[in-house]
Amino acid sequence: MLNGYLRNQCYKETIELFELMGASDWGFDSYSCNFVLKACMELEDYERGTEIIKRAVDHRVDGDKFLGSSMINFFMKFGDFNSARRVFNQMISRDVVCWNSMIGGYVKGCYYVAAFDLFLEMILCGVRPSAITMVSLVQACGGMRDLELGKRVHGLVLVFGLGTDVLVHTALIDMYSKLGEHERARSVFDIMPAKTLVSWNVIISGYVQNCLVYEAFDLFQKLVLTGGGFDSGTIISLLQSCAQVADLESGKVLHGYIFRKGLDINVILCTALVDLYSKCGALKEATFMFDRMKNRNVITWTAMLVGLAQNGHAEDAIRLFGKMQEEGVTANSTTLVSLVHCCAHLGSLKKGRSVHARLLRYGYAFDVVNRTALIDMYAKCGNINYAERVFEDVSFFKDVISWNSMITGYGMHGQGHKALDLYCRMLEEGLKPNKTTFVSLLSACSHSGLVDQGRSLFLSMESDHNIRANEKHYACYVDLLSRAGHIKEAEVLIKQMPFQSSREVFEALLNGCRMHKNIDIGIKAADYLLSLDATNPGIYIMLSNIYAEARRWDAVDHIRGLMRGRGLKKTPGYSLIEVGKQLHAFFAGEDSHPNSVEIDRILENLKSELEALGYVPDTSCVLRDVDEAMKIKSLWRHSERLANAFGLLHTPAGSLIRISKNLRVCGDCHTVTKYISKVVKKEIIVRDANRFHHFVDGKCSCNDYW
């Protein structure tokens, strides 16, 4: 009867019947204890289970090998390894099942060395290992990432005559796949005398893990041709492969298979579909799948959240996290680090600090990946001092990515000398720089005007560190030279590149031509860029601006006419400011904000105060052919000025104002913000498309170099 209840998943009834047996004259034996102990495991009732074990010991029915294995399994399930070992050591007679319970438990708990030590003890005791023993040891090798040990265990499999066992073969395929040895995994699969669907799924999953997408689909076709069926596990692996290469069409075909074959629509399969559509940029389909799911776990929520974040919908991702909290789903490390990236994208320091607090609360803040994300977030939210505090924490193990992130942060804030000093520290501590290190360093030099230092770094890459410059390095070096006005030198460098020039290189040159009003080279750079992509509105805008700054209004009209003819539109300028727990967006020329009247009043007052201090509008920043009065009016409706006024309206005295702008700050807005910081006695931090500007008492951290 107990066994019947257990088989039908009536776990509470199993326990109730056992209690009746104990209270009656029937008593209980090792078999009844075994059944009820399994019921306690299913209900995850540790206290009741330990009580059953105590009663079994008191009634001296615990000597049975069958019950002994169940007791070991029970303690192992709850991570009580000491109690499990105590039960094992007290057993008078132990068969291979008992040894397997202990070895398997150690492996599941990641106590791999203890598992192998016990295996050696087992051999010395003359107990011959079974297929289950070898499966556990193979899994341990995969967990330890030890290929050589895995090969030795494979040899023992053959020595013990288990080379034809399906379970062992499948475990070996999984191990070799996890260790990147996909060819060995395939050879084991090919020699299997009998292949199960689990075996097919493991080898297909192994190919996906090793980014062998097309090979995975080839295997799937062979599986279908053999007449063997497939299940949701097969499709999940293939959906993951489609997500890896953003193959939306193949993913949709697989989605169709799910319905045609009537596969089990479980939470894992639905999550894989959400992840696929998100990574392919098909957010409508991803949201549709997500909203229809009745059961969603933390992985599902995270897949949807990451999809929104990676497709430029950071605010929607943060809102989704709010819903996730409302439903009582506890975030994991991946969820929180994705939110950190969202906060970095939005420049939302308050939300970023809140997520940092959650990482600390859940114990995830000490992971090197998460800490590196925090450094990046604080730097992008304008608080380079907090980024330094995270980086300099003595408990933080820093890899090269962490150092690169801090160097990049210094570069964004125009602190090129600090970036170079940190690089020297990095070398002193014995870390080897990589390609990204030099991208970060060259970019830092570019934003600080450190031309000579940038030249030295570019040359030292290959001579001192054996790193050959790639397109990103050349783009940064061209940007460094172009920003500093060395347009001809940048042009010569491009011609000497050992590979065909990339779009990024010519964009850097074109930007330098705009800054230094070099029309001739600017036109050539723009022509080349348009030959690569005639639908990029940014190129037309930059060329139009070059002509406008030279007052070539006929050429400006021609470029804008080309844009209209091709249906291209300029990206509207906007600025974001966070007040309280809300982000406010302001677009250039906007007057629809609820506080527009107060904003206009503040701007009018500021204008009078700034002019009294000597401010004169620089109307050359207005790249339109209109009269002077219209130019001045246009300047005072730029988005960062609206955001600044809103910040003054809603932030207390002495507090910072933080603004994020999607485009480059114009020269006149830069001058005005310097004056405002002096008048209102506030630090104003502006993050534009290129870098950060810290305005304090009439001065900017960029030293007017941007």
Side-chain angles (χ1 to χ4, degrees), residues 443-500:
S443 178
C445 290
S446 177
H447 287 303
S448 301
L450 303 175
V451 179
D452 291 338
Q453 294 90 328
R455 282 197 186 101
S456 298
L457 284 166
F458 189 80
L459 294 172
S460 73
M461 282 174 55
E462 189 162 3
S463 60
D464 296 339
H465 302 286
N466 199 29
I467 296 174
R468 183 163 294 186
N470 60 25
E471 292 177 6
K472 286 187 177 179
H473 298 115
Y474 274 98
C476 288
Y477 192 20
V478 168
D479 187 56
L480 168 69
L481 295 172
S482 301
R483 282 178 184 274
H486 303 291
I487 305 295
K488 287 284 186 185
E489 185 180 348
E491 187 182 32
V492 170
L493 176 68
I494 291 172
K495 290 176 180 177
Q496 293 174 347
M497 283 171 59
F499 38 71
Q500 188 174 357

Side-chain angles (χ1 to χ4, degrees), residues 213-214 217 241-252 276 280:
V213 174
Y214 300 109
F217 270 94
S241 72
C242 292
Q244 281 180 4
V245 294
D247 185 352
L248 182 59
E249 292 308 311
S250 296
K252 285 181 175 179
L276 163 78
C280 292

Side-chain angles (χ1 to χ4, degrees), residues 107-175:
V107 172
K108 286 176 183 175
C110 300
Y111 288 86
Y112 303 123
V113 175
F116 275 99
D117 287 344
L118 196 63
F119 171 69
L120 291 175
E121 188 181 331
M122 173 184 173
I123 298 300
L124 291 173
C125 288
V127 179
R128 186 178 179 83
S130 68
I132 300 298
T133 321
M134 302 315 296
V135 166
S136 294
L137 295 179
V138 170
Q139 289 171 344
C141 296
M144 295 167 75
R145 312 292 299 171
D146 192 331
L147 178 61
E148 291 306 313
L149 184 59
K151 290 177 182 176
R152 293 193 190 103
V153 172
H154 192 171
L156 286 174
V157 166
L158 300 175
V159 167
F160 289 117
L162 299 169
T164 59
D165 187 90
V166 173
L167 290 177
V168 177
H169 267 133
T170 304
L172 285 167
I173 294 166
D174 184 55
M175 177 195 73

